[in-house]
Amino acid sequence: MKVCRRSFLSLIIGGAAGTAFSPLPWKLIDDASIWTQNWPWTSVPEDGEVSHVNSVCTLCPGGCGITVRKVNNRAIKIEGMKGHPVNDGGICVLGVSGLQLLYGPTRVKTPLKRTGVRGEGKWKKISWDEAIAEVVKKLVSLRKEGKSHTVASISGSDRGTVAQLLGRFLTAYGSPNFIRTPSIQDSYELTAHLMQGGQDQVGFDAENSDFVLSFGSGLIEGWGSPVRMIKANSKWKERGKVVQIESRLSNTAAKADEWISINPGTEATLAFGIANVIIQESLYNTDFADNYSYGFEEFKQFVLSEFSPDDVAEITGVSSSTIESLAKNFAKASKPLAVCGRGKGETPGSLNEFIAVNALNALVGNINKKGGVWSVPDLDYIKWPEPEKDLVAENGMNKGRIDCAGSSKYPDTRYLLDRLPSAINSGEQYPIEALFVAGANPLYTMTDSKKVKEAFDKIPFVVSFSSYMDETAENADLILPNHVFLERYEDVPTPPGMQKPVISLSKPVVNPLFDTKHLGDVILLIAKSFGGKIADAFPWDNYEACLKETLGNDWDKLVDDGYLFHSNFRPAAWGNAFSNTPSKKFEFVNKGKAESVKIEGDEQSYPFILMPYDSMRLASGFIGDPPFAIKTVEDTVLKAKEIVVEINPRTARGFVEGGYAILSTPKGQAKVRVHYSDGVMPGIVAIPRGLGHTAYDDYLAGKGVNFNELIGLVEDPVSGLNAAWGIRAKLTRA
Amino acid sequence: MSTLDNKAEKNVEQVEATPSKQINDKDRKKGAWGIILMFFVIGLVASLAFGWLIFPELLYSQKKQPIDFNHALHVGAVEDGCESCHYFREDGSFSGVPKLAQCMDCHEEVQGENPEEARFVNEYVAKGNEVPWLVYSRQPDCVFFPHIAHVKMGKEDCSTCHGHIGESTHSRVYEENRLTGYSRDIWGKSMAGFKGNTWDRMKMDDCAECHAAVKTQAETTKTLPWPISWIPRPYEKPASSQVRINVQKEACFVCHK
């Protein structure tokens, strides 16, 4: 027998035929296709019992109720809670992406201690006992040296039990330096304090208003409680009018009934100009002006003498006929409402502007009226006795705040975080030896990043309570990670701008995934380590017990419903609404001069004005955009990893659409791409906020430029708050 | 002489030699074909044997259930038949294989003599670990199968798809497809795809077979008497609990959402 080539081929052919008639190829093809569905990166939803947990979103101060759909123990989707007084079923792009902040890679999973140089990213995992001991050791030694006042704390909020516990600890420990992160809330609180008295929150009965005059507020771009305002905006479409005064065609402007482009920074002047027409034409509410206000005559003289429509037109670039018709329409509307605070309202503004706009509301008599501006008292459910202070604490508390809030220079301002870097850098008062950061990311959100970093570098001991590896956590010495919002209990009081008091309860949707600890519990543990009067100020076993006891009878309802809403709340009548002002009446105060805030930079070397703009798709607060959200950003805002600035084609000579340019300001420079937009006033360069993170995940870090690196601080002369709305800039070809 | 002449001479010799060799060559060729055919048959038989006998053994691994479960015993002890343990949740979704908590309703402590039960209580109940049951009927993730539509609305018996598993006294071996991770029950025991019973195979064609039959019954819509909150988006939760489901349209998305 001779085996030849043909035999071999025959064997192969026979094999092939046999294989074809066997199940092998057909079965393998079928299995292979199923196999491709099981690749590890193909996400497979959990299968099992579906349940829903009601909670509240605390990714921004908006306070929206959320319903989280769970399958077994896995949170699957965040939706707006139906019937919640703030958002009634609605949710924003950040809220809906919240699960990525729970399951995503940016979490800090255990307490960390820095081992390398600050910001180098070298960490050592430590236990909670070690972490707390470390903090206590530092605090005890500072107290021994009589330096308790050199401990400062930056908090995202000053309301609710967690923030109050932190503030209470500082008081009992002996530091006056509890500092809230700035926002328009500061400006509004101060305005209300000066004009209406007290420390009430300012609420807007926006849903019922029929004429909304917005001085640059991003009503549908995150201003106030974002989802609530978007819903209110839908109502205005049916029975209301919205006038947007802004130098750029924002989404709010585009959706408004009328868009008035104004020379940037002259909003206060326009408000006074409108007031001039209202007074001139006797369109103001005489009952309110005569019987319930103080200083109206003085205000009248001031407005009539200095803000004639022609003069105002000259300054603002809004024609006098427009000013007149605006004033008439505003005054003649049955429920007019004037609001201010630029964009999302994440930075405060000039007090002058807030006073001018609030004066407009007062002129038409819509203070505490349906569709107007309401004073909303804080729900005083936190009834803890004042902490007893020992001698050290007493001494520390008498040292005076490092940010000078409440000092003779800024007597009415409560927190001035923006002044902290200069206070530390200049070393005029005293150094800060230890800093605690909770619910805030100052290294990203504060203006003039370089100065902030410089100040941070001077603080020898920085503790971050962040759940995420954000810019501040990266530059801390110790990270004591808090549970994320879906893992913890927390009370969330009335969100900014809400007209009726509401408390919502944040509930754990899932059990903590990592070795994190509730900030409330951490504060209690630290306080208890001290013993003495500091420990006595915190009689609770743990945070949950504290919260339960504090909420008392409301606890059960909050657990069941998720919120407690005072739907029948009506603001005080004019007769007794202003009892906290010196005159017991609404005060037409005129603090400071009515000139527009001058921004940094000289016109010669910096011919453009750089202004930031906000978008719902870009989280610019202490939380960065999760991957879902950043994916929604258009390529006229962020092109691959490069930031795009908007510029009017008329001033864009020499630049190509989509081309590169170097954007420089007195504070810094950045390489940007240029996008032509007719919606931007000539001479203005508009830049998105919320980009340029160096921390968080690969989806966010290294994309675009942080606007805060390009802008400096412009202090409001009266309040000390940051009033910068832009900075002069120049564009050169790259 | 030129080289050309030499070549010509050789050619002549070769032509002369051919007739004498012809018969031998024929035999040889016959023999060669035989061998070639033999190799063909060897290849055919070997590959058939491999494909039909060895390949299934290689493809499937034999796994034992973590606990040998006696269905017959349990069905006898409960009142509601299959639904006593494999029940529908309030929202209409199907619970599937019971969780430990459910088993613990009865088996918090050892009840009988069976060593498997004792092992179950000691290893799982006492430690609070879920039993990693191997599910014979698990379909790939791309298949959306609502039990309620089939059992309650379609009035199908459990055994139509699951066979007489309720009468089994021991857990049979779970044959896991090494490539896909799913049970052999989906493709069926028969590699050729022959089936005697409705439950012998659960591939897409088997679903389609029944769906096509329903379609011809001229019933176009059915009304579900329960809420369907568990139907995933983009289906909005209906205002009422009544919803009409179109069973006539045999579109892909009936099962592949």
Side-chain angles (χ1 to χ4, degrees):
Chain A
M1 194 175 84
K2 197 178 159 199
V3 179
C4 59
R5 190 172 59 92
R6 286 181 187 163
S7 316
F8 181 70
L9 283 175
S10 176
L11 181 77
I12 300 291
I13 293 167
T19 305
F21 284 101
S22 85
L24 189 138
W26 322 112
K27 177 72 174 136
L28 274 184
I29 289 170
D30 187 78
D31 284 353
S33 70
I34 298 171
W35 170 71
T36 62
Q37 296 164 11
N38 296 339
W39 283 336
W41 56 87
T42 314
S43 61
V44 176
E46 183 108 358
D47 190 21
E49 186 159 11
V50 174
S51 60
H52 294 88
V53 182
N54 287 338
S55 185
V56 55
C57 176
T58 48
L59 295 177
C60 88
C64 291
I66 52 171
T67 300
V68 185
R69 193 161 73 92
K70 282 175 69 183
V71 173
N72 298 338
N73 282 319
R74 175 95 187 181
I76 299 292
K77 184 165 184 221
I78 301 179
E79 293 175 348
M81 190 201 297
K82 286 224 168 78
H84 193 280
V86 174
N87 58 322
D88 187 22
I91 192 158
C92 75
V93 62
L94 177 62
V96 89
S97 324
L99 289 181
Q100 296 187 317
L101 293 167
L102 170 66
Y103 295 118
T106 58
R107 298 277 310 262
V108 180
K109 296 172 183 169
T110 151
L112 294 177
K113 190 185 171 181
R114 176 173 65 85
T115 54
V117 182
R118 232 188 225 175
E120 200 186 4
K122 285 191 178 158
W123 302 93
K124 190 176 84 182
K125 288 181 184 174
I126 54 172
S127 73
W128 274 102
D129 289 344
E130 286 171 300
I132 285 167
E134 191 100 7
V135 173
V136 171
K137 195 177 103 195
K138 180 76 186 175
L139 290 180
V140 166
S141 77
L142 283 174
R143 223 170 126 81
K144 269 194 192 137
E145 295 165 31
K147 286 185 184 170
S148 69
H149 59 288
T150 62
V151 175
S153 171
I154 298 174
S155 169
S157 165
D158 63 344
R159 295 156 66 241
T161 49
V162 177
Q164 291 279 317
L165 280 175
L166 188 57
R168 187 179 178 84
F169 173 73
L170 283 188
T171 308
Y173 173 78
S175 167
N177 292 314
F178 175 84
I179 314 173
R180 181 179 74 185
T181 48
S183 69
I184 54 164
Q185 215 184 332
D186 294 276
S187 299
Y188 260 118
E189 270 176 12
L190 185 57
T191 308
H193 177 69
L194 294 173
M195 299 178 98
Q196 286 150 244
Q199 287 292 356
D200 282 356
Q201 262 196 279
V202 179
F204 305 95
D205 193 18
E207 290 86 347
N208 291 313
S209 177
D210 63 356
F211 190 103
V212 182
L213 184 59
S214 155
F215 290 83
S217 303
L219 296 174
I220 57 166
E221 274 135 329
W223 186 89
S225 194
V227 178
R228 175 187 168 228
M229 293 313 293
I230 288 170
K231 285 191 169 257
N233 190 61
S234 310
K235 285 196 177 159
W236 300 327
K237 289 272 158 276
E238 292 160 21
R239 48 172 170 76
K241 198 171 174 209
V242 181
V243 179
Q244 179 73 0
I245 300 160
E246 200 177 352
S247 320
R248 176 183 169 268
L249 183 69
S250 62
N251 278 1
T252 308
K255 301 266 180 189
D257 297 278
E258 195 178 343
W259 167 44
I260 294 169
S261 186
I262 184 173
N263 289 339
T266 61
E267 285 86 350
T269 313
L270 181 65
F272 283 126
I274 293 170
N276 176 297
V277 178
I278 292 176
I279 295 173
Q280 195 96 50
E281 308 255 333
S282 290
L283 294 170
Y284 60 92
N285 186 314
T286 45
D287 180 32
F288 184 80
D290 296 344
N291 302 322
Y292 302 100
S293 77
Y294 170 83
F296 177 67
E297 277 309 315
E298 202 186 320
F299 177 77
K300 186 173 162 181
Q301 289 313 317
F302 163 69
V303 165
L304 289 184
S305 63
E306 290 187 35
F307 295 94
S308 74
D310 289 334
D311 291 349
V312 171
E314 178 79 29
I315 295 168
T316 60
V318 180
S319 73
S320 54
S321 60
T322 310
I323 297 172
E324 276 164 29
S325 73
L326 251 188
K328 284 175 192 164
N329 290 339
F330 181 70
K332 284 177 181 165
S334 66
K335 293 182 284 280
L337 174 65
V339 297
C340 61
R342 286 179 179 79
K344 285 182 184 168
E346 279 169 352
T347 47
S350 100
L351 184 63
N352 192 38
E353 185 180 321
F354 280 77
I355 284 180
V357 173
N358 203 37
L360 279 184
N361 287 317
L363 276 182
V364 294
N366 72 354
I367 306 281
N368 285 5
K369 291 283 176 192
K370 192 175 181 188
V373 180
W374 292 14
S375 295
V376 188
D378 248 338
L379 290 168
D380 59 342
Y381 59 93
I382 302 179
K383 293 192 176 84
W384 305 333
E386 272 296 303
E388 265 188 61
K389 284 173 273 197
D390 56 19
L391 202 64
V392 185
E394 205 75 64
N395 283 337
M397 289 301 285
N398 289 335
K399 283 285 181 355
R401 290 172 65 94
I402 185 150
D403 62 358
C404 293
S407 69
S408 54
K409 199 172 174 197
Y410 308 111
D412 299 309
T413 316
R414 295 167 66 202
Y415 312 102
L416 284 169
L417 179 60
D418 284 315
R419 285 183 52 82
L420 186 68
S422 59
I424 294 172
N425 290 335
S426 69
E428 271 169 19
Q429 278 166 288
Y430 49 80
I432 288 293
E433 299 284 349
L435 177 73
F436 295 90
V437 184
N441 184 10
L443 278 183
Y444 177 80
T445 59
M446 284 175 72
T447 26
D448 205 346
S449 307
K450 256 186 232 143
K451 285 270 154 52
V452 179
K453 182 77 173 40
E454 194 187 319
F456 255 70
D457 289 343
K458 290 199 168 123
I459 306 172
F461 188 67
V462 177
V463 180
S464 165
F465 295 108
S466 178
S467 309
Y468 315 104
M469 195 51 101
D470 58 24
E471 283 80 357
T472 309
E474 270 184 351
N475 284 285
D477 301 296
L478 207 57
I479 310 176
L480 275 60
N482 195 359
H483 297 328
V484 302
F485 72 117
L486 296 169
E487 298 171 328
R488 66 175 188 238
Y489 275 113
E490 190 173 346
D491 51 321
V492 180
T494 322
M498 187 75 186
Q499 78 279 49
K500 293 177 182 181
V502 55
I503 319 174
S504 306
L505 182 68
S506 177
K507 265 187 296 200
V509 173
V510 293
N511 292 328
L513 300 180
F514 305 112
D515 186 21
T516 53
K517 221 182 220 350
H518 197 296
L519 174 57
D521 283 322
V522 174
I523 298 168
L524 292 181
L525 285 171
I526 293 174
K528 282 177 197 299
S529 307
F530 278 87
K533 286 191 173 162
I534 301 180
D536 291 347
F538 298 87
W540 309 279
D541 289 338
N542 54 50
Y543 173 72
E544 208 182 315
C546 164
L547 183 63
K548 224 183 254 187
E549 193 189 304
T550 307
L551 289 167
N553 295 334
D554 295 337
W555 172 260
D556 289 336
K557 190 173 160 49
L558 277 167
V559 169
D560 291 345
D561 300 351
Y563 61 89
L564 190 76
F565 184 43
H566 295 251
S567 58
N568 294 325
F569 169 80
R570 293 287 173 274
W574 288 346
N576 46 26
F578 314 116
S579 57
N580 286 321
T581 61
S583 62
K584 312 263 180 243
K585 287 179 172 180
F586 180 90
E587 299 203 349
F588 278 101
V589 286
N590 176 24
K591 292 253 181 184
K593 295 192 194 89
E595 59 190 35
S596 48
V597 175
K598 198 164 155 28
I599 55 167
E600 209 174 335
D602 67 284
E603 210 170 328
Q604 287 299 314
S605 25
Y606 297 103
F608 294 108
I609 292 174
L610 178 67
M611 285 183 81
Y613 70 89
D614 288 338
S615 151
M616 281 301 286
R617 302 177 189 189
L618 277 169
S620 40
F622 77 99
I623 296 280
D625 246 6
F628 283 160
I630 196 80
K631 280 282 165 204
T632 67
V633 176
E634 312 90 321
D635 65 0
T636 52
V637 177
L638 177 70
K639 179 111 179 154
K641 288 193 166 222
E642 287 149 345
I643 196 164
V644 183
V645 297
E646 286 181 9
I647 185 166
N648 192 294
R650 272 199 267 168
T651 43
R653 224 169 288 144
F655 299 100
V656 199
E657 162 74 31
Y660 290 105
I662 299 291
L663 175 66
S664 22
T665 71
K667 284 292 168 189
Q669 65 172 35
K671 194 177 177 191
V672 298
R673 276 174 184 264
V674 171
H675 170 57
Y676 289 177
S677 168
D678 288 313
V680 182
M681 187 180 257
I684 289 179
V685 179
I687 188 167
R689 296 200 323 135
L691 291 169
H693 275 278
T694 53
Y696 284 99
D697 48 24
D698 291 344
Y699 297 90
L700 187 60
K703 288 187 177 173
V705 176
N706 181 4
F707 170 67
N708 290 320
E709 289 170 8
L710 299 173
I711 190 171
L713 189 68
V714 178
E715 247 177 57
D716 181 80
V718 183
S719 65
L721 292 162
N722 182 14
W725 46 264
I727 187 164
R728 296 215 73 96
K730 73 174 174 207
L731 270 183
T732 43
R733 273 204 242 174
Chain B
M1 262 167 87
S2 71
T3 46
L4 204 84
D5 291 337
N6 271 344
K7 268 192 177 172
E9 251 172 71
K10 270 183 187 168
N11 280 344
V12 173
E13 273 171 37
Q14 272 177 5
V15 172
E16 278 170 0
T18 346
S20 57
K21 282 180 183 170
Q22 254 176 357
I23 298 162
N24 267 351
D25 276 1
K26 253 185 190 172
D27 285 351
R28 220 180 281 161
K29 263 188 188 169
K30 252 187 196 170
W33 276 113
I35 292 166
I36 288 165
L37 189 71
M38 189 184 77
F39 273 101
F40 177 83
V41 173
I42 291 171
L44 185 76
V45 171
S47 60
L48 283 173
F50 181 79
W52 288 101
L53 303 172
I54 302 168
F55 168 64
E57 297 302 315
L58 292 175
L59 184 63
Y60 294 106
S61 67
Q62 311 268 315
K63 285 192 169 174
K64 256 177 74 181
Q65 290 284 3
I67 298 287
D68 184 17
F69 187 84
N70 187 334
H71 263 100
L73 186 74
H74 284 84
V75 173
V78 294
E79 287 173 359
D80 254 350
C82 304
E83 278 190 41
S84 308
C85 297
H86 308 286
Y87 61 94
F88 288 94
R89 300 194 191 100
E90 265 179 41
D91 64 358
S93 62
F94 187 64
S95 63
V97 178
K99 292 258 184 262
L100 184 71
Q102 227 177 300
C103 304
M104 277 170 66
D105 284 347
C106 302
H107 294 277
E108 198 138 26
E109 273 156 24
V110 183
Q111 299 198 327
E113 307 277 296
N114 192 322
E116 280 294 279
E117 193 217 348
R119 201 161 66 78
F120 166 67
V121 172
N122 295 333
E123 282 182 23
Y124 297 99
V125 178
K127 293 178 186 167
N129 296 335
E130 287 289 342
V131 186
W133 296 111
L134 302 162
V135 184
Y136 302 106
S137 51
R138 172 157 296 142
Q139 288 283 340
D141 182 61
C142 58
V143 183
F144 176 77
F145 181 85
H147 270 87
I148 201 152
H150 295 84
V151 180
K152 295 290 180 188
M153 193 168 85
K155 305 260 184 277
E156 290 292 347
D157 279 336
C158 301
S159 62
T160 308
C161 301
H162 295 284
H164 298 294
I165 192 163
E167 294 161 22
S168 68
T169 51
H170 291 282
S171 297
R172 63 193 162 86
V173 170
Y174 176 90
E175 289 181 84
E176 189 184 81
N177 188 314
R178 291 184 207 268
L179 205 54
T180 67
Y182 294 103
S183 163
R184 184 171 183 166
D185 289 38
I186 307 303
W187 179 272
K189 197 79 186 161
S190 155
M191 291 304 282
F194 296 120
K195 63 173 191 174
N197 306 302
T198 48
W199 58 82
D200 282 349
R201 201 178 63 188
M202 278 301 147
K203 290 291 287 178
M204 193 174 104
D205 286 348
D206 304 283
C207 302
E209 200 178 287
C210 199
H211 274 236
V214 173
K215 189 180 170 184
T216 54
Q217 284 167 17
E219 264 190 284
T220 54
T221 56
K222 297 224 178 197
T223 305
L224 282 170
W226 49 81
I228 54 154
S229 61
W230 47 277
I231 287 186
R233 295 288 175 91
Y235 294 86
E236 277 294 326
K237 203 169 163 179
S240 87
S241 64
Q242 303 274 311
V243 68
R244 284 154 76 80
I245 288 194
N246 194 323
V247 292
Q248 197 183 31
K249 271 191 188 161
E250 284 301 322
C252 306
F253 61 75
V254 172
C255 308
H256 302 291
K257 301 287 181 193

